[in-house]
Amino acid sequence: MFTGASNLADGVDKAFLFIFIIAFIFIIGISAFMIWTLIHFSRKKGKAPMQFSGSMKLEVVWTVIPTILVLLMFWIGWKGFAPMRRVPPDAMRVTAIGRMWEWEFVYQDSMRSKELVLPINKPVKLDLVSEDINHSLFIPAFRVKEDVIPGYDNWLWFTPNYIGDYEILCTEYCGLLHSAMIAKTRIVEQEEFDKWLADLRTASFIPDPEGLVLLRGTGCLACHSLDGAKLVGPSFRGFYGSQRIVTSGNTQKTITADDEYLISSIYNPDEQIVEGYSRGLMQSYRGLLNESDISIIAEYLKTLNGENQ
Ligand code: CUA
């Protein structure tokens, strides 16, 4: 009757079903007894109340039976729980990262995926990492759930038993989009997994854009950030096409950051100084970058006009 989607599911389901059946029997039994006493001992029937105290037999019965039931619950629960903390040494390792508000899975410490793809019938250990606050990774179909706590090395493991797609949820309230912190785990045949991983490897090593390589190679990034941060010089993020107030000689004017301005800034950096920055900190890059290099850089800078602008 048990055919769980993971090797751990049956143990959880058995404990749940056992406790559920006992609770069900008790709630029906106790409710029926209460209703029966209401009717049977009704005052309208004119029965005289009787005073008595103590019943050894009753005391023993209601101590021994619940003790046995609770011990059975513990035993069945333990049988389901113990394997969850015994990872097979050959388990594949994947790092599961939780952050507000998404899951990300890292294969072999380098390849990142938003989807947890796993081969069927192979044990996997998920190392749980939080990048911000407390989350909790829950895969209901596999009956696994562990908290994901910043600074604490938590983990879980399981072996998926069936091909298919299963939901991954966050079960620790973590803010505005907690309920949207959902991912998918896809269980596939080994061959399909190998192919998927190879594709992920290819996708993970897309070469950097040529413009970025030029910026890095010429040392521009030491003084100009790509993320909007103010360093020695203005950031490249949101730079291209923006309006800037510059000082040229003793006069201030507003210019548009286009190719022409870029060439002028690279060849004669002190000629037009952006408001808030100082003269004399940048050398001319004439001879290091030619005009076609600069137009490649301009193309790259256009791609940086993203969300922060
Ligand atoms: Cu992450 Cu709730």
Side-chain angles (χ1 to χ4, degrees), residues 101 103 134-136 170-174 178 181:
W101 289 280
W103 297 106
N134 292 2
H135 303 276
S136 184
C170 178
T171 52
E172 180 71 46
Y173 182 65
C174 57
H178 156 72
M181 196 167 158

Side-chain angles (χ1 to χ4, degrees), residues 16-40:
F16 176 80
L17 192 65
F18 183 72
I19 293 169
F20 181 80
I21 288 170
I22 287 174
F24 186 78
I25 290 169
F26 270 84
I27 195 159
I28 296 293
I30 290 168
S31 305
F33 179 72
M34 276 167 56
I35 293 165
W36 178 79
T37 54
L38 281 177
I39 297 164
H40 188 76

Side-chain angles (χ1 to χ4, degrees), residues 173-200:
Y173 182 65
C174 57
L176 194 62
L177 293 180
H178 156 72
S179 62
M181 196 167 158
I182 295 170
K184 195 171 81 173
T185 178
R186 194 151 58 84
I187 309 305
V188 297
E189 298 288 358
Q190 182 72 49
E191 305 85 76
E192 194 182 335
F193 174 76
D194 293 340
K195 192 186 166 301
W196 176 84
L197 197 64
D199 289 348
L200 186 65

Side-chain angles (χ1 to χ4, degrees), residues 46-90:
K47 280 189 183 153
M50 190 176 67
Q51 192 71 42
F52 63 92
S53 73
S55 165
M56 191 55 158
K57 212 200 302 178
L58 204 56
E59 295 273 359
V60 169
V61 167
W62 76 33
T63 304
V64 170
I65 290 178
T67 303
I68 292 170
L69 290 178
V70 168
L71 285 174
L72 275 172
M73 284 180 199
F74 169 77
W75 179 245
I76 293 172
W78 175 255
K79 296 284 276 181
F81 172 75
M84 291 179 176
R85 296 285 99 187
R86 272 199 306 265
V87 198
D90 63 333

